[in-house]
Structure formats: structure tokens, C-alpha cells
Amino acid sequence: MPKHLVIVESPAKARTIERYLGDDYRVLASYGHVRDLPENPGKGKFGVDVEHGFTPEYVVGDDRRKHVDAIAKAAKGADTVYLATDLDREGEAIAWHVTEAANVPANKTARVTFSEITAPAIREAFAHPRGIDRNLVDAQQARRIVDRLVGYTLSPLLGRKVRSGLSAGRVQSVAVRLVVEREREIEAFVAREYWTLKGLLETAAGEPFAADVVKLDAEALEIDNGTLAEHHVEMLRGLRPRVTSIATKRQKRSPAPPFTTSTLQQEASRKLGFSPKRTMSVAQRLYEGVDTPDGHVGLITYMRTDSVAMAGVAMGEARDVIRDRFGEPYTMPKGRVYKTRSKGAQEAHESIRPTSFRRSPDALAGHLKPEELRLYRLIWQRALASQMEARELETTTVELEAGPYGLRASATRTLFDGFARVYTEGRDATPSRSGEGADAEDDEADREARLPALAEGEDTTVRDVEATQHFTEPPPRFTEASLVKALEDNGIGRPSTYAATISTIVDRGYVRVEERRLHPEPVARIVTDLLVQHFGDYVDVGFTAKMEEDLDEVARGQREWVPLLQAFYPPLRERVDEVRRTTRRRDFTTEPTDEVCSLGHPMVRRLGRNGYFLACSTYPEHKETRPLPGDEPPALEGAGEPCPECRQGTLVAKRGRFGPFVGCDRYPDCGYIRRDGPGPPAQLPFTVECPKNRDGHLVARRARRTGNVFWGCSNYPKCDYTTNFEPLGALHDTDEGSVARRGDGAICLRCGATIDLPTEDDLVGRRLSGGPPDPAAIAPPARRNGRGRSGSRGGATGNRRRSPRSGRVSTRA
């Protein structure tokens, strides 16, 4: 009988830890937060008592109740309840919520933390337990309440003044503002033409090399048109540039530090194409543990961190691995220590690194999923490279003069590759004067190049001059990675919130991702303008960063959290009340135009759910609308005809979220939409029991968008079972499941087993509480798009046979 109970967040983490603890320990998962503020506290309520010290009104969700009950029951019979949740504020809060929800006495609890799930780390943590850090709990609680007050105060206002369903957030709205302001910078940018000149030179020995023309009369050369460029080209031809100086410079480049949460998300986006959300999901699995040749073990340290520190033991192991793999020249005499520069970093944490450098990615290739292996390789290489010797470069710069012109030739070569043998850091594309982004793993100067042997005073010959036209470029749109970096650089959010923030602004329709770049939707501009105009300080980068610093002070015990909220909330509430009283929706969602409606009224540019359109300014008295010039949908059949439903309106072409369609111009008074295409599908001539709940039967339906036929439960929406596989009327004798056609074969809709296609004889005389089978069901099927959803589950495999008597189809191993 176990004497002690251990609580962690996830079942995967529980399974890994349980392997390191003896029979005296039982490990249960809380499945994340066991309680939270209510999602629907009621109209005008927040789930927080703002009148009495901002007391939170926590509730245990229905999906968490059984886990809390299991923990409470197990805790009663345990001598000690160890709270082994994550070592950040969120983990500290989960530990506290578990004790509160399960009524675990404080004198029975012990808090243990570790940054890696390995046997030594677990033993060390359990040897030095502590109590729950209420400062960390208060900081998390204050953050949660602030976010609730902002979201539940501003979101209803946006619903009234812009469009229903919109949301605002303390960090989310600032992130949207950054994207919108960057887009406006791009739109306002005016490209400027400029030209560069490159001379193709030759030494007296006939060796060619290239040199940039950089000066004219000792001043920087500026060329803004092709005529001037061609003039300089003609002037340079035939000159004999003389070498005036040769400079050789050696430099060392140190490797990038081990990953933090932010830098991991950025690099995984650049090199692997992972979104921040996907990166954190994969990293979570690597942290919690996978099966390896060494058993079930966590492969990386805790992945939510803003520290670049590395434990001394890990640095020592890294040096041993470097020495064994690459030799003494690549090995540091002692570990390289990095200083964390990010605002509010928690130095007690470690960076993200492998739990053992001896577990190379190649050794784990057969044990990890492809995406896990790719991310682990990135983490392993970056952390190992951080402890390797510096890269040594030699750059030679040659200055030449040819009359009034100054030329420069340079070349860089690697003397010692150092850490670059394992890893070089990726870079985001950045605008440059030449219009070329630096989206490479190394700077342009790092590219290997050679110059011929030259001496000061030596004359060279101009063989040709190349003039190249360029245009200055606007700042690039944010990627998910570069937005994370911008948030971190400005002190907005924390490691645990970056991925969630990016996902939120995309999921809420403020931003769309195209070719990995973030584009703001029209509603994002309107919401940003409203918030900046009326709540500028609340969506200001500096204000949001200051709030993060205040919460950090709460975590360190330097500030009380209730006075912080008392200073924050009342001014926000008053501002919201004022905006609600003094503004109207059309103040934000409409713009005047030169267009007039059919009655001669001015029309306005109005924001709708699917973008902007023209609407009569007298709405709701006159509800005429039309697309913006240039956005008109293509000519559609039926447009211009009288509406057959209301007989008052006229059918017009419109554009909706699924594309162009024809509908009544009296919408919303008349909701008629012309629906062309095939009619309703023919129903089955026999009854097929729903494989999911067995209290309904399958009926044929036609997909609204594609027109494809599928079969779904008659009890929809209570039951959402659907399949694209056509039921045939036979039964699978293993589990009485209905058989459906799949390609040239068949499948059991209940267990997913693959079955040979039944012949007509198998079905003749078979009545499944209905009439005889339709012979057409045995004919070769029409080609269908898509695969079955519920009906496409995998099932048993093996050889199949059919019973000649019953017509049922059986599976033979």
C-alpha cells in the first residue's frame, strides 16, 4: 500500500515519474488546472468580487471533478502529498489549487520542483521539499484576475461598438496593435530607387576579383537613377585602380546561448516551419518523457523558461561529449556561462537543454516521432554548440583608388569552424538598403571568399563595371517567430504565454497567416483604432510591460497584489462606461464615400463579418447594400429576377464567406438564397443502425458546400456521427457492425475492420429491419471525394471470409 501521494499535471509526466519512485509512492495527474474562474459568471459579473478585495470565485469544472475526487480520496490515506507540478508560477498555482479543491491539510503537503525528469533530478527534489510559495501563487492569481477584468470589460464593449463575438486582452490586444502598426508602416512606405556599382578587376598576373565602388571624392557614393549610374560606369571603364591599403583582421564569434522558450519558438519557426503552439506541444512531450534505450525518460529540461543558464554538471557532460566527438581543439577548458538579458527573467531556472548530451539525436531516431526528433536535434545541437570553442574568422579588406573613385574588395575565410561544425543560428529576413533580406544562417560576411595576392601600390585593370538597380524595402511583416521576439524584447507576456497569444489572435480572426507572414484583418484595424483612441495607455507597449514588472514584484514578495488591482481596475471601468455612453457603432465601423444608393442617399463604407461593403447611410430605414467597387461578384444565374419568396425584392449577386451567391436584396427582412445543384440524395432502402450510439439510424445527406453525399445519424445534433462510406446492408459477424463500401472493398463501420466487398448473393434475402437490399448498392461505386470520418477508423487486419448461410462477413486471423 503506497504511503505517499504525488500530484503532477499530466498522465505522461505521471508515468515517467512513477518509474523513478518506489512502491511507497502513488502518482496521480491533475490534468492541468483543477479549478478556475467561471467561464459564464453571469451578465455584468466577472467571477471576481471587485467590491470586496477582488476575491476570486473559483469553480471546479465538470471535466475536472472526477480528478479532484480521486486526489481527495487518495490524499486521505497518504502520509504525505507531494505537489510535483511545474516549477513556474502556473505550476505553483496548480499545486495550491489542488490542495484547496481536494481539501488537503497544509501540514500534509510538500512542494517539490525539478527542471528535468530524470532519476537524479527526481531524487534530489524529493530530498529537499518545501512549502507552497504564496508569492508565486499571488502573482499568478493577480495575472489571471487582471486578464479577466480586461477581457470581460473590453470585450462586451467591442461587441456593442464593432461586432459581436470580438474579444480584447491585456497582451492579446497589444500583439494585434503591433501587427496593425507594422502593416501601416508597410502601406505608408515609399520605395526609393538607388544603384550600386561593382568593378570587375584584374591583377597584373591576370587574376580576377571584384570590388564595390563605395566613394566619390572621398564621400559615400549615392546614385539614384540609371542615367547617373551609366555615367559613372563609363567614367570607371579604362581606369587603373591602385591598391592603397590592405588590412587583415581576425575575429572570434561565440555561439548562441542555449534556448529559452522565446528563442526556441523563433528558431523552430525559421528552421523547422513550426508554429509556436506546435513547438510547445512537441517540447512538452520531450520534457514529460518518451521510451528510449535508457528506459522511459524525459529528454529535455523544462521548456517554459526565460533563462539561458546551464547547470555545471550539464556543462561538464557537454565538454566530455565534445571532446569525444570532435577532439580537444573544440573543447572549452571550462564551461561557457551566459548572462540572461530578458526583462524579468527567473535566473533560478535553467535554459532548455538535453537531460543528457550523450543521448544524441541519431541514437534516438528509432524511438521518436519525426517532429519530436527534429525538435530534439535542434535543442541538442544548440545546447552542445553553446559549450564549444569560438569560430575564428579572418577578413581581408583591400582599399583601392581610381581617380575620384574609391573601391573596396573584401573576403572572409574561416580559420577554425569551432561551434559552427555543429550549429549556426538562423536569422529572420530584415529589410536592407540593397533590398536583400538576411534570411540565412550566417551573415553575408561569413560567406567564404578569396582575394588574389595583392600589394600596396599595385595597379589593377578594370575589365568591366556592373550597375545594379535596387529599391529600398519596407519593414517585413511579422512572422509568428518575429512577433514572439518583439513581445519578448518589449517585456510583454512571459514564456508560458507567447504561444497562446499568437494562437489567440489568429483563432479570433484578428490576424491571418499567409506564407508564414501575419496579415491583419480589417476588424483588427478598427479594434486597434478604437482601443488606441479611448484606451491608449491600456494597450500601450510600455504600460503592458510595466504591468509585467509589477507582477514580477508580486512574485518576489515585493508588492501586494490586491492594491495593484485596486489601482488598475476603477479607472478602466470608468473609461469603459464613458465610451459606452458617448460613442456609437457607426463611429468606428463606417466611413463616408462618394457613392449614393438607389434612393439617392449617401452610402458609407461599412465593416461586415466578411469584410467591407457599401451600405445606405439611412440604415435601418433603407437597407440597401452593394459590394465595394472592384469587389463585385461575377455574374450569376438568377440575378435580376424577382425574389420567389417575398415577391417584393430582387435577386442580386452577393459575396459571402463561402464565395459568391444569389440572394434577395431585402436581406435581412428576406433571407432567400438561391440554391442550385443536385436535389436531396436518395435514402437507403434499408435501415442501418448508427454505429456510434445505436439509438438512431443513418440517413443520406448532401454537403452544403461540395454537394457530396454522406450518411449521418438521424439523431443529429445529439449524435454527430458521419461517414462518407456507402452502407451496403450486410453485417460484420464479429460485432454486428454494418458493412459499407470503401473503394473496391468494404469496411465495418463499428470496428473499422477491412472486409472484401460482399457479392449480391451475400445480401439477397438479408433484411436489416427494412426492405430487401438495393441491387444498385452492389454496382461499382461512383468516385467520391474525401475519406470517411467516423467510419474511417482503423480496425482488425487479416484474411476475410464470408458465411454462405448468413451472409455475414467474418475476420480470420
Side-chain angles (χ1 to χ4, degrees), residues 690 692-693 695 712-721:
C690 176
K692 183 175 182 179
N693 55 31
D695 61 356
C713 183
S714 59
N715 278 339
Y716 178 83
K718 180 180 178 182
C719 174
D720 61 357
Y721 177 86

Side-chain angles (χ1 to χ4, degrees), residues 83-88 91-92 95 109-113 128-132:
L83 304 166
T85 49
D86 290 341
L87 70 163
D88 55 8
E92 204 76 19
T109 63
R111 178 81 170 106
V112 293
T113 59
H128 300 90
R130 60 170 173 81
I132 292 176

Side-chain angles (χ1 to χ4, degrees), residues 527-546:
V527 168
T528 295
D529 290 343
L530 185 156
L531 294 177
V532 169
Q533 179 181 351
H534 297 283
F535 304 92
D537 45 356
Y538 291 95
V539 292
D540 177 70
V541 169
F543 175 87
T544 306
K546 178 63 168 59

Side-chain angles (χ1 to χ4, degrees), residues 44 90 218 222 249 279 291 305 358 400 426 428 431 474 479 505 513 542 549 583 649 655 700 712 777-778 790 793:
E90 209 71 22
E222 296 284 346
K249 178 182 178 182
T279 298
D291 290 319
T305 176
R358 298 193 183 280
L400 305 97
D428 288 316
T479 62
I505 64 176
V513 182
E549 293 173 4
T583 62
R655 190 183 301 275
I778 309 303
S790 300
R793 300 185 298 268

